[in-house]
Amino acid sequence: MHSTGAPVLDPSVSLQEIDTRAVPLIVDLDGTLIHTDMLHESALRISRDRPLDALRIPVWLMQGKAVLKRNLASRSGFDASLLPYNEALLAWLKEQRALGRQVVLCTASDHAIAQAIAAHLGVFDDVMASDGSTNLAGGHKAQALVRRYGERRFDYVGNSSADLAVWRHARHAIVVNGARGLAHKAAAQCRVEREFAPAPRGFAAWRRVLRVHQWLKNLLLFMPLLAAHQVGDVDGWLTLLLAFVSFSLCASTVYIANDLLDLESDRAHPRKRLRPFASGAVPAWQGVLLAPLLLGTSLALGALVGGTFLPWLLCYFVLTCLYSWVLKRVILLDCITLAMLYTLRIIAGAAALWMPLSFWLLAFSVFLFLSLAFVKRYAELQVQASTGKTKVHGRGYYTSDEPLVLNLGVTAGYASAVVLALYLNSDNVLVLYRQPEAVWGAVPVLLFWVSWIWMQAHRGHMHDDPLVFAVKDRASRLAGLAFGAVVLAGALGWPW
């Protein structure tokens, strides 16, 4: 990348007579060249990595946006290669530059950020950006461009109503990812040469933001009711249904926070890079606003549930936040935390009904969910190893840890089967089941399922969370039916 300076255009020549190749093409960054905003991303990174500095953001903002951007940029690094670029626009810019046209990156983001992006892409001849004293946005950007290139002597690529101030002085407008009606407003300022329409968002993107499919895990809240054989308790079902909604909204809050704080790690992952925030399909600022709204609703519903459900809900929220901020980066402790988060759902379900929890159920849950947590991490290690990486981004594991993680996970899964077998030999079974010997069929079913899950993971078929995978997987569904059948047979007795 190099600066070629402004092209010399004869002011006596009309706009129609100017060769387009002689007109510089000025390109905005945030929301235009990239499907995200670097100010928002810098604030999120500093909140995760340097939370004490994050408390200084209001002070920096009082000194001006340029000062804020300079401080955030100097305190939070980023990988330009991982940003969600507008590939259609980028391809067109390369075509324009190949024709001999000067292409300039002009952004309100800090100069250090803009320079790093321009250096990575190699398509820009020059960079104009905020410098710590001037916030190069709106009117300031328009004035800077007119001073450098002259009135109506440049084409401008932008994406928002803030760019109307620039298009008022531009020759042509190129509208990218514009809201409805933006192109019409731009046409009132200058001729719109081209429009790059935004990708449709729709409900599917928001469903992925909330990770509605992950709400299946919260069905574990109903486990204590089922384990206690109180299926006919209508009030219990209604209470747990309210608890389910509360827990699901809380979980979605944490998923959003996790995705916002884990953008770079997700973008380095072959599949997670398609998540709404990582890909830029949904702006990060919308997630920042949505998360507290969901949490407030969750806590309000949790208070209505009664029992000691709300304290356990808060415990889940705090532990999940600790996982997102710190524990997910600590080897082994991350999987133990995941197992505890699964188990907390069962504890919360019992708490909502004022129901005592069995030692056997808790022990069984911890070992089984620890195995599933290792499945999740093992699948990630496989993906990273397939791309040639030796270290998992944002995690404490090396891809060479893959065999050990497999052994730990299989061992934990088989330990859950041992706990189940010991439970079936306890006095509790004689009280709850008419035909205790029938329930012994649950042990080989569990052994099969644990082995099957790990076999699928070993073959590289584990593309989802293990519990979500189990719902979609035919063999897992059949194993679940078999498990339920033997438990039901034990509870009701043989039909003959």
Side-chain angles (χ1 to χ4, degrees), residues 211-363:
R211 294 204 213 172
V212 174
H213 65 284
Q214 297 283 8
W215 290 3
L216 290 169
K217 300 180 198 175
N218 300 326
L219 292 175
L220 292 170
L221 289 163
F222 295 89
M223 186 63 69
L225 188 69
L226 297 174
H229 294 197
Q230 297 183 17
V231 181
D233 184 358
V234 177
D235 289 339
W237 283 101
L238 292 176
T239 298
L240 289 178
L241 182 61
L242 186 60
F244 174 84
V245 175
S246 173
F247 221 93
S248 296
L249 294 180
C250 181
S252 289
T253 301
V254 178
Y255 292 142
I256 290 173
N258 183 67
D259 286 352
L260 290 174
L261 296 174
D262 218 16
L263 290 173
E264 288 198 333
S265 294
D266 285 350
R267 288 168 182 161
H269 193 280
R271 291 189 303 273
K272 292 181 181 180
R273 64 184 178 84
L274 300 177
R275 286 177 173 173
F277 295 123
S279 65
V282 176
W285 67 266
Q286 294 185 10
V288 172
L289 293 180
L290 180 61
L293 178 62
L294 291 176
L295 180 60
T297 305
S298 169
L299 295 179
L301 294 176
L304 295 176
V305 171
T308 55
F309 174 79
L310 186 58
W312 284 112
L313 178 67
L314 288 171
C315 181
Y316 168 84
F317 176 73
V318 171
L319 184 58
T320 311
C321 288
L322 287 174
Y323 174 79
S324 298
W325 261 280
V326 180
L327 299 178
K328 71 190 307 180
R329 296 173 179 82
V330 182
I331 187 171
L332 298 181
L333 192 57
D334 60 335
C335 291
I336 294 174
T337 304
L338 283 176
M340 295 309 301
L341 289 173
Y342 280 120
T343 306
L344 271 174
R345 291 170 165 91
I346 297 176
I347 296 174
L353 301 175
W354 293 98
M355 183 180 293
L357 264 176
S358 161
F359 160 80
W360 295 108
L361 180 58
L362 286 177

Side-chain angles (χ1 to χ4, degrees), residues 128-201:
M128 299 172 65
S130 297
D131 57 7
S133 58
T134 300
N135 184 40
L136 202 65
H140 288 146
K141 181 183 288 189
Q143 294 170 15
L145 290 172
V146 170
R147 281 197 303 268
R148 176 177 288 201
Y149 300 108
E151 190 76 26
R152 304 287 182 184
R153 301 289 165 162
F154 61 90
D155 293 346
Y156 182 71
V157 186
N159 74 298
S160 72
S161 57
D163 295 315
L164 293 172
V166 182
W167 282 321
R168 191 173 299 123
H169 302 277
R171 186 189 72 136
H172 291 163
I174 295 89
V175 182
V176 180
N177 295 333
R180 182 178 300 178
L182 181 63
H184 179 73
K185 294 177 182 178
Q189 309 300 326
C190 62
R191 187 171 78 85
V192 176
E193 177 183 334
R194 184 164 181 168
E195 183 176 1
F196 290 83
R201 188 178 302 171

Side-chain angles (χ1 to χ4, degrees), residues 402-412 454:
E402 186 181 319
L404 178 59
V405 171
L406 184 148
N407 288 331
L408 292 173
V410 172
T411 302
W454 275 102

